[in-house]
Every structure is written in C-alpha cells, then in structure tokens.
Amino acid sequence: MRFVQDIPHTQFRIGLYAWNGKYIVKIEAGPYEQTYKVSEMDLLTPDAVPTLLDDDFLTKVTVRFQEMDTDWQATGERNNVF
C-alpha cells in the first residue's frame, strides 16, 4: 500500500493511500478506524478525494464512530472484560 497524502481535518486523522487499483481513505478517531475504497478509474486524480469528504459525509462518519464505541463498550460489559 502506497501512502498518497494526509487530508487535514480538525477531528480525525485522514490518510489517502493507493493500492491494487484503488484509492483507500482511512479515517481514524482514537482506537477506531473506518476505511473506504474507490476505484482509481472512478476518479480523475487523487486530488478529487477530499471533495468526497464533505460535511454531510463526515457527520455520518462521526455517528458511526460513536456507534462503534457504544458497541465495543457493550460487548466488553456483556463479557465482563471492561
């Protein structure tokens, strides 16, 4: 996997990678990560990727991170690990 660029954001660490004919967007928040793949053929340039990360999309990413944390905490409590 080849690193392409960091995409600046105040809340998340966002990295853009290229691998196997796809751009991979990794969005990290604390211990959690969301990964999105898009074919290189679907975009003219990797510079188009940040335009996909608009406010509506990132709001949903935030909610998904919250849900991931809730699920993780719940399984820890159910299984007496946390």
Side-chain angles (χ1 to χ4, degrees):
M1 187 167 9
R2 179 177 62 85
F3 174 77
V4 176
Q5 70 182 55
D6 279 321
I7 299 172
H9 192 269
T10 58
Q11 187 177 358
F12 305 122
R13 181 169 189 259
I14 303 175
L16 178 63
Y17 301 84
W19 183 69
N20 205 21
K22 293 180 175 36
Y23 291 117
I24 300 169
V25 179
K26 289 188 176 190
I27 305 172
E28 298 177 48
Y32 306 112
E33 176 180 285
Q34 294 178 45
T35 304
Y36 298 87
K37 298 177 185 177
V38 60
S39 172
E40 289 179 358
M41 304 297 276
D42 291 342
L43 300 174
L44 297 175
T45 172
D47 295 333
V49 172
T51 61
L52 297 171
L53 308 177
D54 62 14
D55 289 339
D56 289 338
F57 177 77
L58 290 174
T59 296
K60 292 179 181 181
V61 166
T62 301
V63 170
R64 201 164 291 117
F65 275 129
Q66 292 166 344
E67 292 170 347
M68 290 168 71
D69 184 59
T70 298
D71 294 344
W72 186 245
Q73 294 303 319
T75 193
E77 291 170 9
R78 253 191 333 273
N79 293 289
N80 296 316
V81 176
F82 302 136

